[in-house]
Amino acid sequence: MQNVSGKKIILGISGGIAAYKTASFVRLLIKAGAQVQVIMSPASCAFITPLTLATLSKRPVYTEFEKSFGEWTNHVDLALWADAMIIAPATANTLAKMANGLCDNLLLATYLSAKCPVFFAPAMDLDMFIHPSTKSNIQKLVSYGNIEIETAFGELASGLIGQGRMAEPEFMLNVLNEYFSKNSSNDLKGKQVVITAGPTYEPIDPVRFIGNHSTGKMGFDIANEAANRGANVVLITGPTSLKTNNSQIKVQKILSANDMYQACHDVFESADIVIGAAAIADYRPKTVATQKIKKNDEEFTIVLEKNPDILASLGAIKTHQFLVGFALETENEIEYAKSKLKKKNLDLIVLNSLNDKGAGFGKPTNKVTFIDKDFNIFPQELKSKEDVAKDIIDQILKNYAK
Ligand code: PMT
């Protein structure tokens, strides 16, 4: 697996002839399992089309502050989303603006908002490259903590031979891979982690079911985080539109609570850590009609029977496994979460309450409270689900070490 796998990369393209090479760079990143968001300076659109890059990156490409009339491209959100930003090609003009804090386009505003590591790959003609202003701008950018991807020597667009060619896409990919390899903690290396995600669908008839609002995002983000930290992950998920292309994650799709029960028990013995983020239906229709039910009566009653409690069943047979549950509550949150922790024989519970704005189903954010086996309580801030996933893994490792 490549180290960029699962990473979120912003590729900022400025207006130089080397922009044509970004098509193969995007392909390499996507093939390596990265998510790529392309942001182009207006000048770069003369060298390669946004459509080409949108097709290759499988995402819309942003070029302007305004996406369409009245819809703003939020450069702060984009910058916070990314694990790394790479500006390639970085022209003399864009380097000068970056070095001096100018932000007259979306790419530069995103750069100024970025908290992630920023790489830049200069590309220009040799005399521009050796000009003292360019040299000083590059030095300034490096002194700010940005990482320069060195230019290559060779034939330039002018026909001259010299230093100033943008590094090749394969080289830039290697730089990113090496960076993530050095900076990944690998603290879950060798661990088998089983994660449940999404809703379950309990069929009523061939066209209807009982379900809930879970999108699967919380579980998928935990799976990505665990895989990025070296775990082998089995992700057992109910119906969702989410996908993962991280080769460390084996996805198993299920429909109902009974399917999920079976899938969890099949892998439980070899698991080291199990995290139950799925919203599993507590009840299912007692009988499932074989044909579509007709609307003949004014009232219609469905008799429900209890589904198995999956985590409780795992808690009852666990030997070495570290078992983590979620609690989704609407009242008496801490008390109910503690009671679930105990009843299901969990090692840790992650409480989220629908009373907290931005927490729970469907949203890109969550606000959680950890409660450990000794009933120690650790409330957390509202964060992106990606960051909540990091906190969950950190908390598990703290408790696991004990
Ligand atoms: O998917 P998203 O849109 O990102 O939303 C995330 C989420 C809100 C679904 C997630 O953060 C969450 O809270 N998941 C658990 C939801 C839930 O069903 O909570 P619960 O309190 O009803 O269940 C407690 C625990 O027991 C959960 O870990 C659940 O997976 C598990 N359970 C529940 C029922 C059952 N029959 N078997 C179980 O194992």
Side-chain angles (χ1 to χ4, degrees):
M1 190 190 71
Q2 304 208 32
N3 296 97
V4 292
S5 177
K7 299 288 185 220
K8 301 187 210 97
I9 312 286
I10 290 180
L11 171 60
I13 303 176
S14 63
I17 182 65
Y20 82 90
K21 289 189 192 170
T22 57
S24 27
F25 185 43
V26 170
R27 280 200 77 203
L28 287 175
L29 285 167
I30 295 285
K31 257 180 120 174
Q35 299 177 51
V36 183
Q37 177 60 61
V38 176
I39 302 178
M40 299 176 73
S41 73
S44 72
C45 301
F47 294 94
I48 183 164
T49 73
L51 182 61
T52 303
L53 296 161
T55 310
L56 293 171
S57 65
K58 304 182 174 67
R59 279 171 178 268
V61 164
Y62 299 129
T63 57
E64 308 275 355
F65 284 105
E66 202 171 24
K67 276 187 216 164
S68 56
F69 186 68
E71 203 193 341
W72 183 51
T73 309
N74 190 333
H75 57 277
V76 178
D77 280 354
L78 281 171
L80 290 179
W81 169 86
D83 294 310
M85 179 171 188
I86 173 163
I87 294 146
T91 59
N93 184 42
T94 290
L95 288 177
K97 289 180 179 179
M98 286 165 66
N100 291 288
L102 298 184
C103 64
D104 60 357
N105 64 41
L106 180 66
L107 191 165
L108 292 161
T110 310
Y111 160 70
L112 280 181
S113 310
K115 286 194 173 155
C116 59
V118 177
F119 299 77
F120 64 95
M124 64 201 76
D125 218 72
L126 78 165
D127 291 319
M128 294 169 82
F129 187 63
I130 56 172
H131 194 282
S133 316
T134 308
K135 290 263 165 250
S136 134
N137 287 332
I138 290 178
Q139 273 166 15
K140 216 169 176 185
L141 286 171
V142 171
S143 76
Y144 295 157
N146 300 297
I147 302 159
E148 182 190 1
I149 302 182
E150 289 192 359
T151 53
F153 183 93
E155 193 178 345
L156 300 159
S158 60
L160 296 172
I161 309 266
Q163 198 74 28
R165 279 171 68 90
M166 185 177 83
E168 291 303 317
E170 290 77 7
F171 185 85
M172 295 196 286
L173 178 67
N174 277 346
V175 169
L176 290 180
N177 268 327
E178 270 173 30
Y179 175 84
F180 285 118
S181 141
K182 275 191 211 134
N183 288 280
S184 80
S185 55
N186 256 349
D187 43 13
L188 284 176
K189 199 171 169 57
K191 295 279 177 245
Q192 274 299 119
V193 179
V194 174
I195 296 158
T196 68
T200 62
Y201 284 3
E202 309 299 324
I204 298 169
D205 69 10
V207 294
R208 303 176 180 98
F209 59 84
I210 296 174
N212 60 64
H213 299 295
S214 171
T215 59
K217 179 160 173 56
M218 190 68 258
F220 272 66
D221 286 342
I222 301 170
N224 281 328
E225 179 63 19
N228 288 338
R229 289 163 75 158
N232 292 315
V233 176
V234 178
L235 176 61
I236 302 171
T237 176
T240 171
S241 58
L242 299 179
K243 289 190 174 68
T244 173
N245 50 8
N246 190 321
S247 60
Q248 296 285 104
I249 302 177
K250 186 173 161 236
V251 179
Q252 199 167 340
K253 295 181 183 169
I254 56 86
L255 195 67
S256 67
N258 269 335
D259 300 340
M260 189 170 270
Y261 177 94
Q262 195 51 54
C264 286
H265 277 267
D266 287 348
V267 291
F268 188 59
E269 207 182 307
S270 56
D272 297 298
I273 298 167
V274 178
I275 308 169
I280 301 160
D282 289 319
Y283 292 90
R284 63 172 179 270
K286 193 165 182 180
T287 53
V288 181
T290 52
Q291 302 300 330
K292 185 179 174 191
I293 298 168
K294 295 291 168 199
K295 52 174 189 294
N296 296 329
D297 302 318
E298 281 311 304
E299 285 191 352
F300 177 65
T301 306
I302 301 173
V303 178
L304 301 177
E305 66 184 356
K306 222 171 184 178
N307 271 327
D309 187 314
I310 299 171
L311 284 185
S313 70
L314 299 175
I317 58 167
K318 76 175 181 188
T319 49
H320 60 284
Q321 296 87 350
F322 190 90
L323 207 51
V324 184
F326 269 71
L328 180 63
E329 306 296 346
T330 57
E331 58 175 343
N332 294 333
E333 289 92 340
I334 297 282
E335 286 324 301
Y336 285 145
K338 279 181 177 172
S339 136
K340 284 177 185 171
L341 177 75
K342 206 159 170 225
K343 253 196 187 130
K344 297 176 195 241
N345 194 20
L346 305 176
D347 298 288
L348 180 73
I349 196 153
V350 182
L351 161 67
N352 41 191
S353 166
L354 292 186
N355 292 321
D356 287 323
K357 212 169 159 247
F361 291 128
K363 320 215 167 58
T365 51
N366 207 354
K367 183 174 185 331
V368 301
T369 297
F370 300 125
I371 307 179
D372 71 14
K373 248 184 137 159
D374 304 320
F375 288 166
N376 295 310
I377 299 173
F378 306 99
Q380 309 291 308
E381 300 295 315
L382 180 76
K383 293 184 179 179
S384 69
K385 280 188 174 157
E386 287 89 350
D387 283 345
V388 171
K390 286 192 180 106
D391 291 348
I392 290 172
I393 300 294
D394 287 344
Q395 187 67 37
I396 290 172
L397 286 169
K398 272 184 214 154
N399 290 66
Y400 194 70
K402 290 187 197 165

